[in-house]
C-alpha cells in the first residue's frame, strides 16, 4: 500500500522500511524525526475495528500495555488512530534476532543458553500477567534476542496479544474460523484450541504451555507437534503426549531435570503446569 510511504506518519514518523504485511495490517520500521530514534509501527486495518465489544477490550488492553515497563518486554510508546480510522501502535525497535531465526541459522540451542533466554522471557511474561494481561501469541518469532548496553544478552517479548484480540473476538476461541494460520496454531495451548469446560476462561497458564512448546523447540531444534492442517494441531495439543526430546532429535543431549520441567509445562491440564511464569522461571534457574 503506497498510502503511507511518501508522507510522515502522524506528522513525525518517517517510514524507513516495511517489515511485514498480514491480515491485521502492516508493520513499518520508522524514524521519529524529532528524537532521531528508530521505532516500529503497526497499523491495523480499519475494518478490524468494527466489532464494538472486541474494540472496547482491544482499547483497554492497548491502554494497559502502554503502562507496562519491564526490561524483558518491548515498550509500547504510543497508540492512536490515523485519519483513515486505522489504529496504530508505536513499539520500540529492537535490534537483534528472534528465536525462530536463531534456530534456523544455528540448529538446536545449548541447554545453558536456552535456560538463560527462558528465564528472562518468563520474567517478562510474569510482569505482563501481573498487569492482568495474557500474551496469547507466544512463538519463537515473538521472543527477541538483543543486547543491553554492556553487551549482555537481553531478551524481549514482543507483540503482546493486543493486535490479535480484534481478529478473534470474545473468548479467543475463533482460532480456525478466523483462518488463524498454522504457524500460530503450532504454539496454541489446549485451552486456546477449545479445551475449556463450561464457564472456564483462558488464563496466564495458557502462555506457559505456549512457552513450553517454544522451550522444547529451542532444545530439540523442532517443535513437539507437527501437522499440516489446523485440525491436526488442535488434536495433537489436546490429545497427544510430546515425544521425548531424544526421540525428536537423537543428536541432542538434554539434562533429565531440564526435560522434566519442559514436560510439566506441556501438561494438557493447566492445573498440573507451574502456577505462574515466575514459578516456571524459578524451576529453570534451579
Amino acid at each position: 500500500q503506497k498510502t503511507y510511504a511518501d508522507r510522515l506518519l502522524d506528522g513525525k514518523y518517517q517510514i524507513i522500511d516495511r517489515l511485514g504485511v498480514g491480515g491485521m495490517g502492516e508493520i513499518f520500521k520508522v524514524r521519529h524525526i524529532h528524537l532521531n530514534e528508530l521505532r516500529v509501527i503497526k497499523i491495523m486495518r480499519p475494518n478490524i475495528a468494527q466489532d464494538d465489544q472486541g474494540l472496547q477490550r482491544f482499547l483497554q488492553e492497548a491502554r494497559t500495555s502502554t503502562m507496562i515497563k519491564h526490561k524483558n518486554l518491548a515498550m509500547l510508546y504510543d497508540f492512536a488512530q490515523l485519519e483513515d480510522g486505522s489504529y496504530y501502535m508505536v513499539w520500540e525497535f529492537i535490534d537483534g534476532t528472534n528465536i525462530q531465526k536463531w534456530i534456523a541459522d544455528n540448529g538446536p540451542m545449548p541447554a545453558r543458553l536456552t535456560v538463560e533466554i527462558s528465564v528472562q522471557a518468563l520474567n517478562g511474561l510474569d510482569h505482563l500477567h501481573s498487569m492482568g494481561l495474557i500474551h496469547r501469541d507466544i512463538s519463537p518469532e515473538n521472543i527477541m534476542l538483543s543486547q543491553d548496553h554492556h553487551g549482555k544478552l537481553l531478551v524481549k517479548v514482543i507483540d503482546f496479544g493486543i493486535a490479535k484480540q480484534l481478529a478473534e473476538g470474545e473468548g479467543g476461541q475463533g482460532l480456525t474460523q478466523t483462518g488463524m494460520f498454522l504457524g500460530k496454531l503450532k504454539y496454541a495451548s489446549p485451552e486456546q484450541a477449545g479445551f475449556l469446560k463450561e464457564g472456564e476462561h483462558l488464563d496466564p497458564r495458557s502462555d506457559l504451555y505456549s512457552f513450553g512448546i517454544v522451550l522444547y523447540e529451542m532444545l530439540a531444534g523442532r517443535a513437539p507437534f507437527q501437522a499440516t492442517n489446523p485440525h491436526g494441531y488442535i488434536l495433537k495439543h489436546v490429545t497427544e503426549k510430546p515425544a521425548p526430546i531424544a526421540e525428536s532429535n537423537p543428536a541432542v543431549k538434554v539434562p533429565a531435570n531440564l526435560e522434566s520441567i519442559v514436560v510439566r509445562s506441556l501438561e494438557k491440564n493447566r492445573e498440573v503446569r507451574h502456577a505462574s511464569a515466575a514459578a516456571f522461571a524459578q524451576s529453570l534457574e534451579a
Side-chain angles (χ1 to χ4, degrees), residues 22-153:
M24 300 295 303
E26 298 176 275
I27 307 174
F28 299 97
K29 179 176 171 183
V30 302
R31 180 184 292 110
H32 189 305
I33 56 170
H34 307 298
L35 300 176
N36 196 28
E37 277 191 345
L38 295 176
R39 304 265 160 99
V40 169
I41 288 191
K42 289 196 139 178
I43 299 177
M44 278 160 300
R45 299 196 199 301
N47 61 324
I48 290 180
Q50 294 314 315
D51 158 37
D52 197 46
Q53 199 182 8
L55 178 62
Q56 287 317 309
R57 204 172 71 185
F58 164 73
L59 295 173
Q60 184 51 53
E61 290 227 347
R63 283 192 282 267
T64 306
S65 296
T66 55
M67 301 188 301
I68 291 176
K69 290 172 181 55
H70 186 280
K71 68 180 190 336
N72 299 123
L73 295 173
M75 274 278 294
L76 178 59
Y77 289 108
D78 199 10
F79 166 76
Q81 214 171 4
L82 294 167
E83 313 81 88
D84 67 2
S86 39
Y87 285 95
Y88 73 95
M89 294 184 248
V90 184
W91 293 90
E92 78 176 290
F93 173 75
I94 298 163
D95 199 14
T97 186
N98 62 40
I99 291 179
Q100 184 214 358
K101 288 199 185 104
W102 198 100
I103 295 172
D105 293 343
N106 308 287
M109 237 179 227
R112 267 195 86 101
L113 178 60
T114 300
V115 168
E116 196 182 332
I117 289 171
S118 299
V119 167
Q120 289 195 38
L122 287 163
N123 286 339
L125 280 178
D126 195 59
H127 186 75
L128 190 70
H129 295 160
S130 73
M131 302 283 290
L133 295 173
I134 306 168
H135 188 296
R136 296 184 180 83
D137 195 11
I138 291 177
S139 72
E141 288 162 282
N142 281 342
I143 301 169
M144 298 283 298
L145 309 177
S146 186
Q147 291 181 335
D148 66 12
H149 48 273
H150 301 298
K152 281 176 64 111
L153 172 72

Side-chain angles (χ1 to χ4, degrees), residues 122 125 128-129 133-139 161 164-165 168 171-173 175 180 184-196 200-215 237 262 264-277 280:
L122 287 163
L125 280 178
L128 190 70
H129 295 160
L133 295 173
I134 306 168
H135 188 296
R136 296 184 180 83
D137 195 11
I138 291 177
S139 72
K164 253 187 65 213
Q165 294 287 73
E168 278 184 25
Q173 290 301 315
L175 283 181
M180 183 187 182
K184 298 301 183 210
L185 268 177
K186 194 172 175 180
Y187 304 96
S189 67
E191 301 93 286
Q192 282 177 305
F195 191 54
L196 278 172
E200 288 185 332
H201 297 286
L202 216 57
D203 72 20
R205 291 172 296 182
S206 171
D207 283 348
L208 303 189
Y209 178 96
S210 299
F211 190 78
I213 300 265
V214 175
L215 182 50
H237 286 304
V262 179
R264 180 173 176 190
S265 66
L266 295 177
E267 287 283 355
K268 311 294 184 199
N269 176 358
R270 60 187 179 182
E271 299 296 331
V272 194
R273 293 174 211 154
H274 293 91
S276 66
F280 193 163

